[in-house]
Amino acid sequence: MTEIVMRNLGKDFGGFTALADMDLTIGSGEFVALLGPSGCGKSTTMNMIAGMLDPTHGEIRFDGRMMNGVPMAKRGVGFVFQNYAIFTHMTVRDNLAYGLRARGVAKPEIARRVGDIADLLQLTPLLDRKAARLSVNILQRLAIGRSAVVEPAIFLLDEPLSNVDAAFRAVMRSELKALQRQFRQTMVYVTHDQLEAMTMADRIAVMDHGKLLQVGTPLEVYNHPVDTFVARFIGAPGMNLLAGRVTSADTGLTVDLGAAGHCPIQAGQGGEVLFGFRPEEVHPDPKGPMEMTVTTVERIGARTILHLAAGSHAAKVVLDSETAVPDQGEAFRFSVSPGAVRLFDPQTERAL
Amino acid sequence: MTDMTTQQLGAAERHADTALHEGAEERRLGLWLTLPAQLLVIFIALFPILMQVYISLTDWSPLDGIPWYRAYELWIGLLNYVDLANDPRFWSALWRTCIVMAICVPVQFLLGLGLAILFVDDFPGRRVLYSTILVPMMVVPAVAGYMFFMLFQSGGPVNDILSFFAGRPVTIAWLSDPDLALFATIVSDIWQWTPLMFLILLAGMVSVPQDQQMAAILLGASWWRRFWTIVLPRMKTIIIIALAIRLIENFKVFDNFYIMTGGGPGVATETISIYIYKVTQQELIWGYVAAIALAILIVLSIVSALAIKKLRSVQ
């Protein structure tokens, strides 16, 4: 259990800035997901925490101890690689014992600790099997066990679910979360899948183009995105953003959305805005103030996704499959409750 | 319902039967169609060996004036093999070749492995050095033989360098002292063939997955531990291949030895190939040569078979 503090952390590769001025504190025992599209700097950040890369500037501290320049073997960091990096020429037991042997732990102690971790991860029946022909979920558990057995203070996971098919990913997500509760280590998890981040992490750090955009609990990030990138990236589908204009009338403030109608809001100043609302926050309402044309109806089981258009606006709406929905080409009238509206500055794209 | 199932099953069985029948027929046709090619391959591969077996059972020599296919007129059965078993020069050449192999191959392996370790990570000038190291391998073995023939002359550069360090004139007769001559020829072989070992081993070392090494480092493994537990085990296959190639090639060593010493002084550097060459060209007893060649083929086949078996068990 270790607190990780990154201050003004940055990494340049030649002229390319992979990470710029990152300030992030990861609490002891916390599960933080670094989330962003590929090339956003999340893996660079993780590799610097592990010590595989040296930062260009800034510092990393574990529990106050300066880590810059400390070789990776001495950092006490467990790392689960994207492809698990299992020693396939060894047995499961030798894989699990590897770190303990490297540290010169006594044989009976190694046997005991390998036995314990194998029990915990349900690997006991496989201990004497060669690691070469194990299934992906067992390889993943083995990778976690191999790192966990030396009791690292920090656990880093680099997209461990990206090699797994979608159906299996759901199983692994809950398995990983359960393991984290058992180990209680500080965990940093790199992913480009917002669903993984939302379901597992205590806090999410959203990154793009080498910049840390927002840090917060999954719900904070979902409900109060700091800018349009986060708003679009989090959620499936992401937040709708329509260009509009705040006007005040006797009845209160509204956003004029032109062809799509208008929507009352709680607060805001006059002027151009980006009007944001979650696809899930839409109420079908025959007398509603907004109207758009249905371009596509996607039925995906429990939910139905409507693709809407009006003038230059485009939006998506998620409804229960029981809700009656208009057909393609028909008009869809709806309202968005004022509390669910998020406004962004069209120039800076930051939340207002 | 049951009836229908039975009927369906019956139909399925009949269908399977026909399929099986057709399959067998197709295979037979395939055999006929490929037979000429297969015979050709067998002929090309086996003819020289069969001819050798045939000649080795005779006392045939090209000087006898009898064409090779009438060599049976000089049939002597296994006498060549009996002679071979009692030929001290053959056994000493075989023994000497084994000594050469026992020194050359391990030294080449260790040097090649050491160089591969140095070259596996990048450093300034790596590419230039890498190409330089490979040069000896490209040199024609006969030319390499001449180079070392000159280097080891009693007035040659090797003695000059030794003189410089010793501070007095050194005039070692490298190529005319029986022990030193073998040493000098072995040095030339090591010089020429370490690069090949290096090339193969480096290729194997580079292919060891980087992330596995990273994982081992993160688990606290020292360089030595990583080398012994990750790098070497992962290179097992390529190491066996490299050793097998060099053992077989080294067994046939000829060019540089022959040019440096001609197998001498006396028979001090006479390897099995030089021995065969001398018997063929100088004594022209080809039936006997065929017997030697077959004996060696059998030895090499056993070595290769063992290597292949080892490879299979590794994989």
Side-chain angles (χ1 to χ4, degrees), chain B residues 201-268:
Chain B
L201 294 176
L202 181 63
M205 207 173 278
V206 167
S207 71
V208 174
Q210 203 62 41
D211 52 5
Q212 298 212 354
Q213 305 211 50
M214 281 288 188
I217 294 173
L218 285 162
L219 288 168
S222 64
W223 186 90
W224 268 110
R225 176 173 289 273
R226 291 199 311 273
F227 187 71
W228 281 111
T229 58
I230 313 280
V231 178
L232 272 189
R234 292 225 153 242
M235 289 175 65
K236 227 184 218 168
T237 308
I238 212 129
I239 286 173
I240 292 170
I241 291 172
L243 288 177
I245 290 176
R246 276 316 298 151
L247 280 174
I248 290 169
E249 285 296 308
N250 207 222
F251 188 79
K252 301 187 285 194
V253 68
F254 180 82
D255 316 46
N256 44 352
F257 277 55
Y258 190 76
I259 284 166
M260 284 175 75
T261 64
V267 291

Side-chain angles (χ1 to χ4, degrees), chain B residues 167-178:
Chain B
R168 60 187 166 77
V170 175
T171 50
I172 300 170
W174 290 100
L175 298 177
S176 33
D177 178 295

Side-chain angles (χ1 to χ4, degrees), chain B residues 27-45:
Chain B
R27 267 197 299 279
R28 215 169 302 142
L29 178 68
L31 185 65
W32 280 112
L33 286 175
T34 57
L35 195 61
Q38 295 201 19
L39 284 176
L40 185 69
V41 169
I42 291 169
F43 178 76
I44 290 170

Side-chain angles (χ1 to χ4, degrees), chain A residues 72 83 86 88-89 98 103, chain B residues 211-212 214 219 229 234:
Chain A
M72 56 179 163
N83 59 3
I86 292 298
T88 44
H89 57 287
Y98 195 87
R103 282 167 166 74
Chain B
D211 52 5
Q212 298 212 354
M214 281 288 188
L219 288 168
T229 58
R234 292 225 153 242

